Amino acid sequence: WLVNNMGRNSSWWYVGVLAAVVANFWMLSGATAAPSLPLVINTWPFVDANVGAVQELKGGGSALDAVEKGCSVCEVEQCDGSVGYGGSPDEKGETTLDAMIMDGETHSVGSVGCLKDIRSAISVARNVLNHTQQTLLVGEDATNFAVSMGFKRQNLTTNKSREIWEQWKEKNCQPNYWKPGTVSPDPTKSCGPYSPVPPSDGALSSNNNIDNSVEVDRNNHDTIAMVAIEEDGRIACGTSTNGLTYKIPGRVGDSPFAGAGCYVESGVGGAGATGDGDVMMRFLPTYQAVQSMKAGMTPTQAAEDALQRIQKFYPDFVGAMIAVNTKGEYGGANHGFSPFRYTVYTPQLGNSTVVTIQ
């Protein structure tokens, strides 16, 4: 009788009562929606690195501590051979390391490039941040700094990296990163040392694009880039890599440069990149992604937009990105990897989870 006599609004009355009952249940039981922070996200399925960073946060460590811990795990485990010692030998057979760490609150940055004979690159970068007013130290002088901070000199070459280099030498140093037609002997057929040749008209301009004979894939391009956010929103990021296999000695990629390898801004979010660093660093993609999120894009939209800006000039480049905002929303984008995977932890997920982007 009641339903029949309350007219067309009776059903809405019951909906309202039901909603009130549900709300009271949640309040009385103390149940709340799962928080989205703390959060850790990193490039590639480096789950152990993610777990290490999460444990650091849960143990009371800062976002900077978490990033240093996570990247350190990869350096010790030599993740996929392209992080840490014993991987990616250069033309001389030597392994060198690049790393960076950044605080989103202060925009303080510590970085090292072409670091030699020191295995803990991310921790050396942390020391640059903690103890100096500088941003980037490189080469043998970066090694000397590390030694002065108490780090131990250790050979970064292993039997495996030596074997990789020797096999490359047996193949006449193919592939390599020299521009054909600009040096002698012919780098497509011979090892160096190389010397410049007088350019013919237009020869240099026609060789300005990346030589696609050097294939970029996960085996030689899987930098770990990590972003960590504390429960209160404080954010930091870091990177670590041993760079390109067969790189020209002295080469430093995108990883140790703020805005290229990674970037964070308090109250906005952060981003990290992996891939063809020589191309990607020209566009500061992680800085661009953070600014795009600041302007209202979602993390996925911001990452996709940053890669599209590179694709306009280098349609065949290979790269991928992760991005996250301080609300705990995250995403990624991929151009050329088959596929790209990243690892993320949030309280809602409950564990370090691998996400795939085709």
Side-chain angles (χ1 to χ4, degrees), residues 36-276:
S36 57
L37 299 177
L39 182 150
V40 176
I41 187 171
N42 58 266
T43 53
W44 302 110
F46 299 150
V47 175
D48 288 351
N50 194 279
V51 169
V54 172
Q55 290 176 342
E56 190 71 25
L57 286 178
K58 289 183 175 180
S62 68
L64 284 170
D65 295 333
V67 165
E68 181 182 2
K69 177 63 176 181
C71 290
S72 293
V73 169
C74 248
E75 291 173 345
V76 172
E77 293 187 354
Q78 302 168 279
C79 288
D80 279 353
S82 63
V83 180
Y85 70 99
S88 301
D90 64 17
E91 286 189 340
K92 297 191 299 183
E94 186 174 17
T95 296
T96 58
L97 308 179
D98 301 337
M100 182 191 99
I101 192 165
M102 180 176 184
D103 185 343
E105 290 288 323
T106 64
H107 278 209
S108 298
V109 175
S111 300
V112 289
C114 198
L115 179 68
K116 303 180 179 184
D117 298 328
I118 304 291
R119 293 189 175 186
S120 305
I122 187 68
S123 294
V124 178
R126 180 77 183 271
N127 274 262
V128 174
L129 182 148
N130 286 347
H131 301 301
T132 82
Q133 298 179 42
Q134 310 288 270
T135 296
L136 172 65
L137 302 180
V138 298
E140 188 63 33
D141 288 320
T143 300
N144 293 336
F145 167 81
V147 171
S148 74
M149 293 291 104
F151 291 85
K152 179 182 177 181
R153 279 185 178 266
Q154 293 177 282
N155 192 342
L156 302 185
T157 299
T158 62
N159 290 338
K160 182 178 179 180
S161 65
R162 174 66 62 176
E163 182 181 357
I164 292 171
W165 178 72
E166 289 175 348
Q167 290 175 350
W168 177 73
K169 293 286 284 186
E170 290 172 0
K171 296 177 182 178
N172 295 319
C173 302
Q174 303 303 308
N176 59 59
Y177 295 91
W178 293 88
K179 292 181 178 180
T182 68
V183 294
S184 178
D186 184 350
T188 66
K189 300 177 181 180
S190 303
C191 296
Y194 305 102
S195 58
V197 298
S200 58
D201 291 342
L204 289 179
S205 62
S206 66
N207 278 285
N208 282 338
N209 289 329
I210 296 299
D211 181 4
N212 292 322
S213 64
V214 182
E215 182 179 357
V216 175
D217 58 29
R218 181 178 168 182
N219 293 321
N220 61 15
H221 265 80
D222 51 357
T223 300
I224 182 170
M226 175 178 284
V227 181
I229 310 178
E230 299 173 31
E231 191 171 355
D232 64 1
R234 184 155 187 147
I235 188 170
C237 74
T239 65
S240 185
T241 184
N242 52 38
L244 275 173
T245 308
Y246 320 130
K247 58 183 174 283
I248 297 172
R251 181 261 189 187
V252 176
D254 60 329
S255 297
F257 292 99
C262 75
Y263 190 81
V264 283
E265 183 172 333
S266 176
V268 181
T274 182
D276 194 338

